[in-house]
Amino acid sequence: MLKIAVPNKGALSEAASGMLREAGYAQRLDSKQLTKIDPDNEVEFFYLRPRDIALYVGEGTLDAGITGRDLLLDSHSAAAESLQLGFGRSKFRFAARPGTAEKVEDLAGMRIATSYEGVVKRYLAERGIEASVVRLDGAVETSIQLGVADVIADVVETGSTLRAAGLEVFGEVILESEGVMITREGADPSALEVFTRRLQGVLVARAYVMMDYDIRAEKVEQAIALTPGIESPTVSPLHREGWVAVRSMVQRASAQRVMDELFALGARAILTTDIHACRL
């Protein structure tokens, strides 16, 4: 039975459990539940602190897990990212009071407060910058006001929290993070083949819609140039002479534009439907 770690709280928890449900796996109904066995799919889920998941997976105690890329890199564990999951996206940046620093080179000799000590130390070492890194657990914005640090390094979404603390971001993005599936380095991928394929199926289903339309036969080539599909569209003759029906997968983000272009080309009965699951 596969042993999979899932975040037990926070934005990653809700998104991860939602994806697993879409992939056909049973999930806990009570947030206090620490484990959930899915006997039909031979998987046992363990609900753990997001920061601890990479450690358990890296040690081989669990087969795989879902966590943030930032937490994986900060852990220094032997786990490795195996699949990007498309949720929980965030940017990790430096911030300070105006005039403190403008670029990363200005950090030399400064005190940097962060909850992600490993990420920051690696970033500075790669650029040959010597600075003091102070690890804090949460609310790093107040560290400058309290005199603990000169600069902070933290996750930035809208930046409103930093502005409220009188801080501004500077320099390049340290890290772009998102939810990822992780496995132990050197692990046999065949053991997780079905699990990984299911998650990939959810990602594709979220990114694409199925599009059906009718078009005159002489315009098929122009139409399928707009809707090439993943491999090739399905083209079937209609009872109406000179017309065919086309079915193809289209990227969700561009579906409305494609429908407009097909209509201008002469296509009719253009429909889109959601894809709930797929295997490619």
Side-chain angles (χ1 to χ4, degrees), residues 58-69:
E59 291 173 355
T61 306
L62 301 177
D63 299 301
I66 294 175
T67 189
R69 180 181 295 124

Side-chain angles (χ1 to χ4, degrees), residues 196-206 275-279:
T196 303
R197 193 184 302 125
R198 285 198 185 188
L199 294 187
Q200 289 172 331
V202 172
L203 292 172
V204 173
R206 289 178 173 182
I275 301 169
H276 296 290
C278 66
R279 300 289 186 273

Side-chain angles (χ1 to χ4, degrees), residues 5 52-65 78-79 182-184:
D52 296 336
I53 288 175
L55 298 175
Y56 283 108
V57 174
E59 291 173 355
T61 306
L62 301 177
D63 299 301
I182 62 173
T183 56
R184 183 169 52 84

Side-chain angles (χ1 to χ4, degrees), residues 31-83:
S31 61
K32 295 180 180 180
Q33 193 173 347
L34 301 180
T35 64
K36 173 68 177 180
I37 296 177
D38 183 348
D40 292 339
N41 293 298
E42 298 185 340
V43 178
E44 184 173 8
F45 295 100
F46 294 81
Y47 299 90
L48 306 170
R49 285 204 326 157
R51 185 172 286 277
D52 296 336
I53 288 175
L55 298 175
Y56 283 108
V57 174
E59 291 173 355
T61 306
L62 301 177
D63 299 301
I66 294 175
T67 189
R69 180 181 295 124
D70 51 354
L71 297 173
L72 168 64
L73 295 178
D74 196 56
S75 70
H76 298 294
S77 80
E81 179 179 326
S82 59
L83 183 65

Side-chain angles (χ1 to χ4, degrees), residues 3-271:
K3 295 181 178 180
I4 309 294
V6 184
N8 66 347
K9 60 182 178 179
L12 287 178
S13 174
E14 184 176 346
S17 291
M19 173 171 274
L20 291 168
R21 287 191 185 96
E22 288 183 53
Y25 293 104
Q27 290 295 287
R28 65 179 183 175
L29 299 177
D30 184 351
S31 61
K32 295 180 180 180
Q33 193 173 347
L34 301 180
T35 64
K36 173 68 177 180
I37 296 177
D38 183 348
D40 292 339
N41 293 298
E42 298 185 340
V43 178
E44 184 173 8
F45 295 100
F46 294 81
Y47 299 90
L48 306 170
R49 285 204 326 157
R51 185 172 286 277
D52 296 336
I53 288 175
L55 298 175
Y56 283 108
V57 174
E59 291 173 355
T61 306
L62 301 177
D63 299 301
I66 294 175
T67 189
R69 180 181 295 124
D70 51 354
L71 297 173
L72 168 64
L73 295 178
D74 196 56
S75 70
H76 298 294
S77 80
E81 179 179 326
S82 59
L83 183 65
Q84 299 176 24
L85 301 179
F87 59 76
R89 290 192 173 99
S90 61
K91 293 182 179 180
F92 197 65
R93 303 194 66 176
F94 291 112
R97 286 174 175 162
T100 302
E102 295 182 356
K103 54 187 184 297
V104 66
E105 288 76 15
D106 296 335
L107 294 172
M110 291 190 179
R111 298 167 300 165
I112 305 170
T114 183
S115 299
Y116 299 83
E117 181 182 15
V119 171
V120 174
K121 284 186 174 180
R122 180 182 301 179
Y123 181 88
L124 296 174
E126 289 174 350
R127 288 155 181 78
I129 298 171
E130 293 188 7
S132 174
V133 180
V134 180
R135 176 161 187 162
L136 299 176
D137 289 326
V140 295
E141 298 89 355
T142 59
S143 63
I144 295 177
Q145 181 181 353
L146 294 173
V148 176
D150 307 301
V151 177
I152 68 168
D154 202 10
V155 173
V156 177
E157 294 182 359
T158 64
S160 59
T161 303
L162 295 178
R163 288 192 294 272
L167 308 178
E168 62 180 15
V169 298
F170 65 90
E172 61 187 17
V173 175
I174 303 170
L175 172 69
E176 292 192 15
S177 184
E178 67 176 292
V180 295
M181 173 184 164
I182 62 173
T183 56
R184 183 169 52 84
E185 289 186 350
D188 181 5
S190 63
L192 289 162
E193 184 176 355
V194 173
F195 183 78
T196 303
R197 193 184 302 125
R198 285 198 185 188
L199 294 187
Q200 289 172 331
V202 172
L203 292 172
V204 173
R206 289 178 173 182
Y208 286 83
V209 294
M210 187 65 73
M211 186 172 290
D212 293 89
Y213 58 90
D214 300 340
I215 189 81
R216 293 190 63 86
E218 64 267 21
K219 293 186 176 181
V220 168
E221 293 303 320
Q222 292 173 268
I224 63 176
L226 297 172
T227 59
I230 299 293
E231 294 181 353
S232 177
T234 300
V235 180
S236 308
L238 290 176
H239 181 68
R240 183 181 181 184
E241 186 176 352
W243 284 72
V244 297
V246 180
R247 164 168 279 202
S248 181
M249 291 175 65
V250 175
Q251 287 190 347
R252 185 181 296 273
S254 61
Q256 293 294 332
R257 175 184 57 78
V258 172
M259 292 176 77
D260 293 337
E261 294 178 358
L262 286 172
F263 190 87
L265 190 61
R268 295 297 181 264
I270 310 170
L271 307 173

